[in-house]
């Protein structure tokens, strides 16, 4: 390998950049598998995104039950730390076009601090 080998390219995925720290975000928790940061356009008093460090385009691409467990476990931890566990909260994983997914990196929305209606829109 020559000294002129370029460094790894900057990831183009928005959430990969947040994981890498090249785009700022308000981090609320972090584990070896996932990070949790505040949504830039909060839809509830507490709106945190739980994002695996590994790039997976959506839930449909996530074949590792351990990784999915780590995402859920971090959501539960953050809910307790943010003081919404007792009142209740909602976890949402928008998946694909019909699911309303807009960022192509698996993420779980943790929403709390207000009551949520059902059915969702
Ligand atoms: P989706 O629609 O894919 O389920 O959710 C994507 C979420 O990412 C949206 O709630 C949106 O507000 C949030 N988001 C988009 N860009 C940024 C950003 O640059 N920083 C943060 N913290 N959240 C973002
Ligand atoms: Zn990514």
């Amino acid at each position: 390998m020559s000294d002129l080998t370029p460094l790894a390219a900057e990831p183009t995925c928005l959430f990969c950049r947040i994981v890498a720290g090249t785009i700022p975000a308000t981090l609320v928790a972090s584990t070896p598998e996932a990070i949790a940061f505040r949504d830039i356009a909060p839809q509830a008093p507490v709106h945190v995104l739980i994002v695996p460090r590994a790039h997976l385009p959506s839930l449909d691409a996530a074949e590792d039950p351990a990784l999915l467990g780590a995402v859920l476990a971090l959501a539960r931890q953050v809910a307790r730390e943010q003081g919404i566990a007792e009142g209740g909260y909602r976890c949402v994983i928008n998946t694909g076009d019909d699911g309303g997914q807009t960022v192509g990196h698996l993420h779980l929305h943790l929403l709390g601090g207000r009551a949520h209606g059902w059915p969702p829109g």
Side-chain angles (χ1 to χ4, degrees), residues 14-15 18 23-26 37-43 47 49 92-95 99-105 107 109:
L14 174 63
F15 287 174
I18 289 177
I23 289 180
T26 305
F37 55 89
R38 297 201 188 280
D39 196 291
I40 203 167
Q43 302 301 311
H47 187 172
L49 300 174
V92 176
I93 303 177
N94 296 326
T95 304
Q101 183 176 3
T102 62
V103 175
H105 181 133
H107 54 282
H109 296 257

Side-chain angles (χ1 to χ4, degrees), residues 16-116:
C16 280
R17 287 184 173 183
I18 289 177
V19 167
T22 55
I23 289 180
T26 305
L27 204 66
V28 299
S30 169
T31 69
E33 297 84 16
I35 65 171
F37 55 89
R38 297 201 188 280
D39 196 291
I40 203 167
Q43 302 301 311
V46 174
H47 187 172
V48 172
L49 300 174
I50 314 294
V51 174
R53 292 179 183 275
H55 178 83
L56 294 163
S58 76
L59 178 62
D60 190 57
E63 295 178 346
D64 179 0
L67 180 69
L68 294 172
V71 168
L72 277 177
L74 184 55
R76 173 183 178 275
Q77 174 193 320
V78 171
R80 295 169 75 91
E81 291 172 354
Q82 295 290 314
I84 58 172
E86 194 172 335
Y89 53 89
R90 181 165 294 176
C91 294
V92 176
I93 303 177
N94 296 326
T95 304
D97 289 342
D98 280 359
Q101 183 176 3
T102 62
V103 175
H105 181 133
L106 171 62
H107 54 282
L108 179 149
H109 296 257
L110 172 66
L111 299 143
R114 67 167 172 84
H116 287 78

